[in-house]
Amino acid sequence: MTFGEQPAYLRVAGDLRQKIVDGQLPPHTRLPSQARIRQEYGVSDTVALEARKVLMAEGLVEGRSGSGTYVRERPVPRRISRSGYRPTGGATPFRQEQADGEGRGTWESSSEQSEASVAVAERLGIEPGERVMCTRYLYREGGEAMMLSTSWEPLAVTGRTPVMLPEEGPVGGMGVVERMRAIDVIVDNVTEEVGARPGLAEELLVLGGVPGHVVLVVQRTFYASGRPVETADVVIPADRYRVAYHLPVK
């Protein structure tokens, strides 16, 4: 194969992809059968099968047991706001959006004490096995699961204080900055790293999607005078949402 040439299965997948994008194969239409692809493109059964696998991995089609392969409905991506922390406000960006607009968002959470894993300990600057408060969130929009978040806070900072449980107490649910301020810990910096990976089976079970669907992962850490006081992983379906950042110009 010379430079610039594509394998046959990618050429077939590319042509079928274009037909899906152009509307020649609209949502819920049955994808041409393996035999039809073989005849139309003059390729082998193996090439036809691999082309279909590519489209499935891209989330453009889905298999239906005993029925065939069909074009999936293509969702229009919606926006999720990431605004860093709000030094003068209390609510998190998601909750502020619901209050400011016509949001139909809801959320549920659960917290439990656990031991920091090696990865979490590194992010928090503590020793593996140290006690942390782990809080898991599920956010919904109009009843549809839209985002997962798991946060960890070192109990060396929040333990035996009114903010130990993020969603309870006098400033429960007010966001990391306000909660930490209530115990005289001043958050002055936040970092976010955005990456993408295939969703885990348990994530896709909650968020919807098929194995192989890509999720965006926002790895966020809040700092107070250089000390990490909270870190979190935010997981978002990449095919349904875009992450929008609103950053102040100094």
Side-chain angles (χ1 to χ4, degrees):
M1 184 175 65
T2 61
F3 179 77
E5 286 188 359
Q6 281 188 321
Y9 77 95
L10 288 182
R11 293 199 300 272
V12 174
D15 187 70
L16 291 171
R17 183 191 303 114
Q18 194 60 50
K19 289 180 178 179
I20 293 172
V21 171
D22 291 344
Q24 297 178 49
L25 291 172
H28 311 296
T29 299
R30 192 172 187 270
L31 195 72
S33 67
Q34 189 167 311
R36 173 101 175 264
I37 292 174
R38 184 187 66 225
Q39 295 170 0
E40 183 174 342
Y41 293 95
V43 296
S44 67
D45 280 333
T46 300
V47 169
L49 178 60
E50 289 302 312
R52 290 169 63 190
K53 286 182 178 179
V54 168
L55 298 177
M56 292 187 73
E58 293 176 350
L60 294 173
V61 301
E62 62 184 356
R64 299 179 186 174
S65 180
S67 180
T69 305
Y70 291 79
V71 178
R72 294 183 67 240
E73 188 82 42
R74 298 181 67 203
V76 177
R78 286 168 282 178
R79 178 178 60 86
I80 290 181
S81 175
R82 304 294 302 169
S83 304
Y85 64 84
R86 295 173 179 245
T88 58
T92 61
F94 177 82
R95 299 181 189 195
Q96 190 65 50
E97 276 196 332
Q98 303 310 311
D100 292 346
E102 298 179 356
R104 297 174 295 148
T106 59
W107 51 88
E108 52 200 68
S109 66
S110 63
S111 297
E112 63 179 359
Q113 294 188 35
S114 63
E115 296 182 352
S117 66
V118 172
V120 168
E122 182 178 358
R123 288 162 59 175
L124 288 174
I126 60 178
E127 293 296 322
E130 285 193 35
R131 303 294 291 175
V132 294
M133 183 63 69
C134 176
T135 304
R136 293 179 172 86
Y137 295 88
L138 169 60
Y139 296 90
R140 301 180 187 274
E141 183 180 45
E144 177 186 295
M146 61 176 291
M147 182 168 63
L148 297 171
S149 177
T150 304
S151 73
W152 300 269
E153 296 178 351
L155 287 173
V157 175
T158 62
R160 299 182 182 277
T161 74
V163 304
M164 185 173 74
L165 292 169
E167 294 296 314
E168 297 182 19
V171 288
M174 293 297 287
V176 175
V177 177
E178 285 294 315
R179 290 178 46 251
M180 292 296 168
R181 183 182 291 122
I183 57 173
D184 297 323
V185 175
I186 306 304
V187 172
D188 53 17
N189 191 26
V190 59
T191 63
E192 291 197 350
E193 296 182 9
V194 182
R197 59 167 171 76
L200 303 179
E202 55 266 31
E203 294 168 341
L204 296 176
L205 181 65
V206 176
L207 294 172
V210 298
H213 272 195
V214 173
V215 295
L216 299 174
V217 181
V218 181
Q219 189 178 100
R220 179 198 69 206
T221 304
F222 283 100
Y223 297 85
S225 299
R227 179 184 185 181
V229 295
E230 189 259 16
T231 193
D233 286 337
V234 181
V235 179
I236 304 164
D239 63 332
R240 303 203 304 271
Y241 292 94
R242 297 290 181 265
V243 179
Y245 282 85
H246 304 277
L247 305 174
V249 177
K250 295 184 178 180

